[in-house]
Amino acid sequence: EADIYQTPRYLVIGTGKKITLECSQTMGHDKMYWYQQDPGMELHLIHYSYGVNSTEKGDLSSESTVSRIRTEHFPLTLESARPSHTSQYLCASRMDRGRDSPLHFGNGTRLTVT
Amino acid sequence: GDSVTQMEGPVTLSEEAFLTINCTYTATGYPSLFWYVQYPGEGLQLLLKATKADDKGSNKGFEATYRKETTSFHLEKGSVQVSDSAVYFCALSDRGSNYKLTFGKGTLLTVNP
């Protein structure tokens, strides 16, 4: 199984708080991704990175930000959480961005903003 | 642009029934195709993949064949088990999306004993 870890698994937080969702992988993968999964199960790419100091916004506009200071670490930050941010957030990585390279996913963080 | 259309759920079957989840795609180039499975409370896991026409991906009794002529990659299993209850996602990777994976909307499968 892939070694990609997300913490916390569950988070309930009040409106206006700053939060950071952690994602780490031990596979040495350069390519990392954040997806937001809505209650209807659909996945939306919100951020990705092709290596250290490289970050890009995904297909779905998000108020979150990401950083990539180390290869293995790709945290996602919300400066001021709102109820509309309530969702499941999935982190993923892959060996390269060739078309044959599958994604490896973490178990996700389920965020609830009250 | 690239897109994936998969069968809308939910799908409910009895144990040992035959499963088909349809998936068709639109791609700019020559994509690789994937099926992922998401068990309750977990992230997605790669179930199988195929990288060229007529390839058959298989794993855990599931199979899917890359059909370029019909742009399809339908998932099948001959005899489902309760433990197969999960959400299944079809996905592609293609140059049209700069090789980022494009996912279908997911199909919820429930298998009853």
Side-chain angles (χ1 to χ4, degrees):
Chain A
E1 293 297 324
D3 296 323
I4 180 163
Y5 306 101
Q6 291 187 244
T7 56
R9 287 295 309 275
Y10 303 93
L11 180 61
V12 180
I13 201 160
T15 297
K17 299 292 186 183
K18 178 180 178 178
I19 58 169
T20 296
L21 308 184
E22 301 288 349
C23 175
S24 295
Q25 50 93 8
T26 59
M27 297 170 285
H29 289 172
D30 283 330
K31 316 303 184 279
M32 296 190 74
Y33 305 79
W34 275 103
Y35 288 85
Q36 185 173 338
Q37 186 172 29
D38 61 31
M41 306 175 300
E42 192 168 357
L43 294 161
H44 303 283
L45 179 65
I46 53 175
H47 298 284
Y48 61 99
S49 167
Y50 288 158
V52 171
N53 294 326
S54 152
T55 61
E56 301 285 346
K57 290 190 179 295
D59 305 321
L60 179 70
S61 176
S62 173
E63 294 166 348
S64 58
T65 59
V66 292
S67 62
R68 191 86 183 277
I69 298 171
R70 303 198 315 267
T71 297
E72 62 271 22
H73 195 212
F74 191 41
L76 181 146
T77 299
L78 277 166
E79 291 291 334
S80 179
R82 294 210 299 265
S84 60
H85 296 138
T86 294
S87 190
Q88 165 131 285
Y89 293 85
L90 293 168
C91 182
S93 72
R94 67 200 298 202
M95 183 180 300
D96 59 56
R97 63 174 187 175
R99 70 179 185 87
D100 297 350
S101 181
L103 282 172
H104 301 271
F105 283 85
N107 279 332
T109 294
R110 186 166 295 281
L111 172 66
T112 303
V113 183
T114 60
Chain B
D2 298 340
S3 67
V4 174
T5 302
Q6 65 180 99
M7 181 173 151
E8 285 195 24
V11 174
T12 302
L13 296 173
S14 297
E15 207 164 22
E16 299 184 3
F18 184 85
L19 169 71
T20 300
I21 301 178
N22 289 338
C23 172
T24 58
Y25 67 88
T26 302
T28 307
Y30 196 151
S32 288
L33 303 173
F34 306 85
W35 276 101
Y36 282 82
V37 58
Q38 185 177 29
Y39 297 105
E42 297 183 11
L44 279 70
Q45 301 175 23
L46 177 67
L47 182 58
L48 53 85
K49 73 174 188 180
T51 59
K52 61 182 189 295
D54 301 324
D55 264 3
K56 178 185 285 189
S58 62
N59 186 22
K60 300 181 181 180
F62 291 90
E63 293 182 339
T65 301
Y66 190 142
R67 300 287 187 202
K68 197 165 190 292
E69 64 275 14
T70 54
T71 61
S72 65
F73 193 53
H74 304 320
L75 182 68
E76 297 182 337
K77 186 175 185 183
S79 176
V80 292
Q81 306 300 311
V82 172
S83 57
D84 293 327
S85 298
V87 181
Y88 293 81
F89 292 90
C90 185
L92 69 81
S93 175
D94 181 56
R95 62 179 171 83
S97 54
N98 200 22
Y99 302 108
K100 297 192 294 291
L101 264 72
T102 300
F103 287 90
K105 293 185 178 181
T107 302
L108 173 63
L109 170 67
T110 302
V111 180
N112 294 319

